[in-house]
């Protein structure tokens, strides 16, 4: 019996050691890949921009709300030191206390106040002062402190979806558009219905805006698809594959997050739930505006816009609304 106990004990200790080694390798490999996303100035696509103290994002202490600006741009055909406009802009807001995540998509043509420059479209801020100015501009518009950014080009998005093994998603309508650039590599041709989207097809879906409501419906699609990507990232198998996923994606993205920041955010995201999403500005606060011959989307009331953001952050789509007193009895009576 004593011998058996020793064998069992050593077996357990051996398994525990192997497990700890595996976890240690996983953490080391993940951190090693994450570190590559924070590019040195000489390798960054934003290296030409001067770092100005007034644009610097606030530090995240870990207990307060943290906001991340996700930006996507089309880097094709750019000249040296030229930066693409951030035609996709989403703000992910995490609350460490309530464990709620909210997702906002910013309409790219929104007329915004850009610190140090004339008012312009929201997607031009990054071309004038890089990601720091973009974070400051969008943060001022929404009344939020934005601590971090992640920038990805077309290939970064494709690589992410492919590294996840694709995403099962319902395409709500037929989508077709011809893009003559790059030998029609980025044409859009999707059929309505439930389907498995690989990286190329997913990019088609989130880029499509050639319908009646243009960017309004496109940003809604982007929010919904990002939710599906986030849900798949939380899948146990993809967590195990995280170092491999990062190695595929990191060459195509840039961020100001350290590996420690990203791991803390990943842990927070895994333990939180998606509580809601919204378009910025909302439809009732936006109007068509012509500024020096350029068509933009004006904001009717910037104070109300900030109030709207706070209302969204309080809401939780996962919690069913409480019926008003007497509502159920009235409904029963009606039946």
């Amino acid at each position: 019996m004593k011998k058996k106990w020793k064998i069992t004990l050593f077996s357990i200790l051996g398994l525990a050691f192997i497990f700890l080694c595996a976890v240690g390798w996983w953490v080391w490999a993940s951190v090693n890949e994450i570190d590559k996303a924070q590019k040195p100035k000489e390798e960054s696509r934003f290296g030409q921009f001067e770092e100005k103290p007034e644009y610097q994002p606030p530090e995240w202490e870990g207990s307060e709300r943290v906001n991340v600006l996700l930006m996507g741009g089309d880097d094709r055909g750019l000249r040296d030191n030229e930066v693409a406009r951030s035609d996709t802009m989403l703000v992910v807001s995490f609350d460490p206390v309530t464990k709620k995540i909210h997702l906002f998509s910013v309409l790219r043509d929104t007329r915004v106040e850009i610190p140090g420059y004339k008012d312009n479209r929201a997607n031009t801020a990054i071309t004038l002062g890089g990601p720091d100015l973009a974070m400051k501009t969008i943060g001022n518009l929404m009344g939020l402190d934005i601590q971090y950014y992640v920038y990805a080009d077309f290939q970064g998005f494709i690589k992410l979806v492919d590294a996840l093994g694709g995403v099962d998603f319902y395409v709500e309508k037929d989508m077709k558009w011809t893009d003559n650039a790059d030998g029609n590599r980025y044409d859009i041709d999707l059929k309505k219905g439930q389907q498995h989207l690989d990286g190329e097809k997913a990019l088609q879906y989130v880029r499509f805006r050639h319908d009646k409501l243009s960017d309004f419906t496109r940003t809604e699609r982007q929010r919904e698809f990002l939710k599906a990507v986030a849900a798949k990232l939380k899948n146990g198998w993809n967590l195990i594959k995280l170092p491999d996923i990062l190695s595929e994606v990191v060459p195509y993205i840039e961020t100001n997050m350290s590996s420690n920041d990203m791991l803390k955010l990943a842990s927070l995201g895994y333990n939180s739930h998606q509580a809601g999403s919204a378009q910025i500005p909302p439809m009732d606060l936006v109007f068509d505006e012509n500024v020096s011959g350029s068509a933009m989307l004006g904001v009717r009331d910037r104070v109300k816009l900030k109030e709207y953001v706070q209302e969204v952050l309080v809401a939780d789509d996962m919690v069913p609304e409480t019926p008003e007193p007497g509502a159920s009895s009235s409904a029963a009576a009606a039946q």
Side-chain angles (χ1 to χ4, degrees), residues 68-102:
V68 183
L69 175 61
L70 308 179
M71 295 179 286
D74 182 359
D75 287 353
R76 295 176 298 170
L78 295 179
R79 297 187 292 271
D80 288 344
N81 289 329
E82 190 175 15
V83 174
R85 294 182 176 187
S86 51
D87 284 338
T88 296
M89 290 170 290
L90 299 111
V91 175
V92 188
S93 186
F94 301 83
D95 188 334
V97 177
T98 63
K99 299 294 189 292
K100 293 192 296 188
I101 303 173
H102 286 85

Side-chain angles (χ1 to χ4, degrees), residues 13-241:
L13 290 174
L15 289 172
F17 177 75
I18 293 170
F19 173 76
L20 288 173
C21 288
V23 170
W25 173 86
W26 181 88
V27 171
W28 177 85
S30 298
V31 169
N32 190 47
E33 292 299 335
I34 290 169
D35 279 337
K36 297 174 187 175
Q38 202 172 26
K39 307 287 193 295
K41 194 174 181 67
E42 61 273 13
E43 295 179 13
S44 171
R45 55 166 57 84
F46 308 115
Q48 70 272 34
F49 295 113
E50 179 186 352
E51 293 183 1
K52 297 184 178 181
E54 60 268 33
Y55 298 160
Q56 287 296 302
E59 289 189 18
W60 180 43
E61 301 297 332
S63 58
E64 76 279 19
R65 179 178 294 281
V66 56
N67 303 294
V68 183
L69 175 61
L70 308 179
M71 295 179 286
D74 182 359
D75 287 353
R76 295 176 298 170
L78 295 179
R79 297 187 292 271
D80 288 344
N81 289 329
E82 190 175 15
V83 174
R85 294 182 176 187
S86 51
D87 284 338
T88 296
M89 290 170 290
L90 299 111
V91 175
V92 188
S93 186
F94 301 83
D95 188 334
V97 177
T98 63
K99 299 294 189 292
K100 293 192 296 188
I101 303 173
H102 286 85
L103 180 62
F104 299 90
S105 52
V106 181
L107 296 173
R108 63 181 187 172
D109 291 330
T110 304
R111 182 183 180 183
V112 295
E113 297 172 350
I114 303 178
Y117 297 88
K118 296 189 299 184
D119 287 10
N120 208 328
R121 293 184 181 91
N123 65 351
T124 63
I126 194 170
T127 68
L128 299 172
D132 286 353
L133 183 57
M135 285 189 288
K136 189 72 173 177
T137 299
I138 302 304
N140 288 348
L141 174 70
M142 299 176 65
L144 296 174
D145 287 332
I146 298 182
Q147 293 90 343
Y148 301 114
Y149 79 88
V150 178
Y151 179 93
D153 58 16
F154 281 4
Q155 286 303 308
F157 181 84
I158 291 171
K159 293 289 185 181
L160 172 61
V161 176
D162 283 342
L164 290 174
V167 176
D168 294 324
F169 199 81
Y170 182 79
V171 177
E172 71 276 11
K173 61 193 291 185
D174 288 349
M175 299 177 182
K176 194 168 182 66
W177 178 255
T178 301
D179 186 343
N180 293 319
D182 285 356
N184 297 95
R185 181 181 178 185
Y186 294 105
D187 285 357
I188 298 173
D189 188 8
L190 295 174
K191 299 298 181 185
K192 177 180 178 180
Q194 181 73 23
Q195 51 195 287
H196 185 76
L197 300 180
D198 62 11
E200 298 276 359
K201 294 292 186 182
L203 181 66
Q204 293 180 31
Y205 181 77
V206 299
R207 286 185 65 218
F208 185 76
R209 62 183 180 89
H210 306 284
D211 50 18
K212 190 175 180 181
L213 291 177
S214 186
D215 210 35
F216 296 96
T217 49
R218 183 178 74 150
T219 55
E220 183 179 359
R221 281 192 287 269
Q222 290 171 350
R223 293 197 304 273
E224 292 306 310
F225 189 79
L226 190 59
K227 290 179 187 177
V229 169
K232 189 149 190 185
L233 268 170
K234 291 174 74 170
N235 175 279
W237 178 242
N238 282 319
L239 287 176
I240 294 171
K241 287 171 51 186

Side-chain angles (χ1 to χ4, degrees), residues 242-267:
L242 186 59
D244 293 332
I245 293 172
L246 289 171
S247 68
E248 289 289 330
V249 176
V250 161
Y252 303 94
I253 68 172
E254 285 200 47
T255 182
N256 62 336
M257 292 187 210
S258 67
S259 55
N260 187 47
D261 294 330
M262 205 173 285
L263 289 173
K264 284 196 299 183
L265 267 177
S267 175

